[in-house]
Amino acid sequence: MMPDEMARPLIRGRGEEGGSRRLQAPASELCSPVIGILGTGDFSRSLARRLVASGYQVVVGSRNPKFSAALFPEEAELMSQMEATSKADVVFVAVFPEHHATLVELRPTLAGKTLVDVSNGLKIKRDTLSNAEQLAELFPESSVVKGFNTVSAWTLQMGPQDGSRQIFLCGDDSRAKCSVMQLCRRLGFVPVDRGLLASSLEIENLPLYLFPSWRIPVICTLSLFAFFYAYNFLRDVLRPYVVAGKNVFYKMPIETVNVTLPAVSLVMLSLVYLPGLCAALLQLWWGTKYNRFPGWLDRWLTSRKQMGLCSFWCAALHAVYSLCLPMRKSARFQLLIAARQVKEGPVWVEEEVWRMELYVSAGIMALGLLSLLAVTSLPSVANTINWREFTFIQSTLGYCALSMATLHTLLFGWDRAFDPARYPFLLPPTFVLVLVLPMAVLLGRLALLVPCVARRLRMIRRGWEKSRHVRFAPQEECCRNGLEEFSNV
Ligand code: NAP
């Protein structure tokens, strides 16, 4: 910012210091377009403040200008809609789309001018005309630009604090779009050109999506949690009560949850790596990489980051729950009962000690690796590392995390998987159920590392096709790290 711009006042309230205080715009800004805003609601007020603060001359068109004048900065002029549209070069339509039709009488004054449609819909729309396209039909002689609908009135008022706030724009008239993009930059936002007005429906839908990429991973996590919680409750809480009248319902809030969380975490982590294996198997089966994967596999592959983060979240909760286990009153009572029951005899069981030491250590290592994966999945961190580094972390270290978490579970089970007493009513312990998927994924991965399989897959990934009989000799240097090659799926 130039020093003279720094000295320029920002927003001042109407009536402060008495008299009119028009902005002393620098000479370079005198040729700035006059910006009109139709409507005097929340969005209009915030936009007017931001425009005034950026040195624009602002005129606001209202059905009742005197009524809302006190709410606007002094530098913005309030007038009738007709007056405002005749004075302005670019007009923001800050009116709900249901009321766009009431503005048709302004059509002659708006002819040849740029109209910015900031409206949002109430629900996600498909295969219909967008608000902006409908506005363009109402005002055929104006150039309609869609934009600013993804920023809230609050953000506009505060300004883009971190200087990276994007504004998506589209419009059929490139000159009009350019002038709005310029205005965006001057307000401190980053304009993103999304093409012709036909893209406006997508821009209008943007603020209405509710974590679309998280839906499947969250549903998977919750479903797995419900399944394992019900299984653990049935096996460890309800069964002892029904069979032996033993009341262990106190386990429900902490112990049962703490057995469920690692199960969900490990299965979700396996689900991160399973689609890569499926894709590799399909490519080997087809003998080409140019066939499209089925839709479900495509969606699964694109949800891996969110699935990994869900797995990390469950693992982190499991760690916190485990740390809190000794704090419980029930744990203290159990310790006292155990101490009373110990008469003369060994209290130090070497095997149990080793099992616990190794089990905890493997768990901590798995959580550490998962944390690393979670941190590198953040866009700001991912942008600072190159593709090979990213692949190494997400694939090689990811498989290390899966192996460590599997080892953690195996150590927890120790030899108890072979004890028939652990299978009441043929219900296997949770750790046995949980191990099926990660073991299958790890074995599948090992199978893909067998040299003849790895070589064929590498050739397919580099464009070789079975049906075309293309002679293909893979370069030696690309055979160095099979793990990294596979992860490109
Ligand atoms: P609002 O507070 O309800 O204001 C709407 C304004 O429209 C009224 O103040 C009114 O001003 C004017 N208007 C003109 N003709 C009208 C009519 N026939 N009936 C009713 N009002 C009429 O709404 P807003 O929150 O500012 O939102 C305005 C537009 O911005 C909407 O399309 C919305 O989707 C979009 N938007 C808002 C936000 C936000 O954070 N608020 C964010 C993004 C986009 P006069 O009475 O002075 O004429």
Side-chain angles (χ1 to χ4, degrees), residues 241-279:
Y241 184 71
V242 173
V243 173
K246 201 172 156 192
N247 183 350
V248 285
F249 284 94
Y250 74 89
K251 288 185 175 180
M252 285 173 64
I254 294 189
E255 260 182 65
T256 313
V257 172
N258 196 33
V259 181
T260 304
L261 283 171
V264 178
S265 175
L266 187 53
V267 174
M268 286 302 288
L269 192 58
S270 313
L271 290 178
V272 172
Y273 293 98
L274 189 59
L277 285 185
C278 294

Side-chain angles (χ1 to χ4, degrees), residues 38-46 60-65 67-68 72 78 81 93-100 102-103 117-121 131 147-156 207:
L38 290 174
T40 54
D42 296 336
F43 192 87
S44 167
R45 287 198 293 274
S46 304
V60 182
S62 169
R63 292 168 303 168
N64 189 351
F67 184 70
S68 319
F72 281 80
L78 265 91
Q81 291 177 335
V93 185
V95 170
F96 278 103
E98 300 88 299
H99 306 133
H100 282 174
T102 63
L103 306 172
D117 175 38
V118 301
S119 67
N120 278 318
N131 299 335
F148 282 85
N149 59 310
T150 50
V151 282
S152 66
W154 169 253
T155 310
L156 268 178

Side-chain angles (χ1 to χ4, degrees), residues 55-134:
Y56 280 103
Q57 190 185 337
V58 179
V59 289
V60 182
S62 169
R63 292 168 303 168
N64 189 351
K66 284 190 192 135
F67 184 70
S68 319
L71 301 169
F72 281 80
E74 186 194 344
E75 291 80 2
E77 290 179 73
L78 265 91
M79 53 192 73
S80 70
Q81 291 177 335
M82 191 62 86
E83 280 178 291
T85 45
S86 58
K87 279 191 176 180
D89 303 301
V90 175
V91 178
F92 281 82
V93 185
V95 170
F96 278 103
E98 300 88 299
H99 306 133
H100 282 174
T102 63
L103 306 172
V104 279
E105 61 192 37
L106 306 171
R107 198 181 277 164
T109 27
L110 284 171
K113 294 187 177 175
T114 301
L115 278 186
V116 185
D117 175 38
V118 301
S119 67
N120 278 318
L122 289 175
K123 56 179 182 157
I124 294 172
K125 288 195 277 186
R126 310 242 178 250
D127 307 323
T128 49
L129 283 187
S130 66
N131 299 335
E133 285 169 314
Q134 287 176 22

Side-chain angles (χ1 to χ4, degrees), residues 373-384:
L373 299 183
V375 170
T376 43
S377 73
L378 295 172
S380 53
V381 179
N383 287 343
T384 61

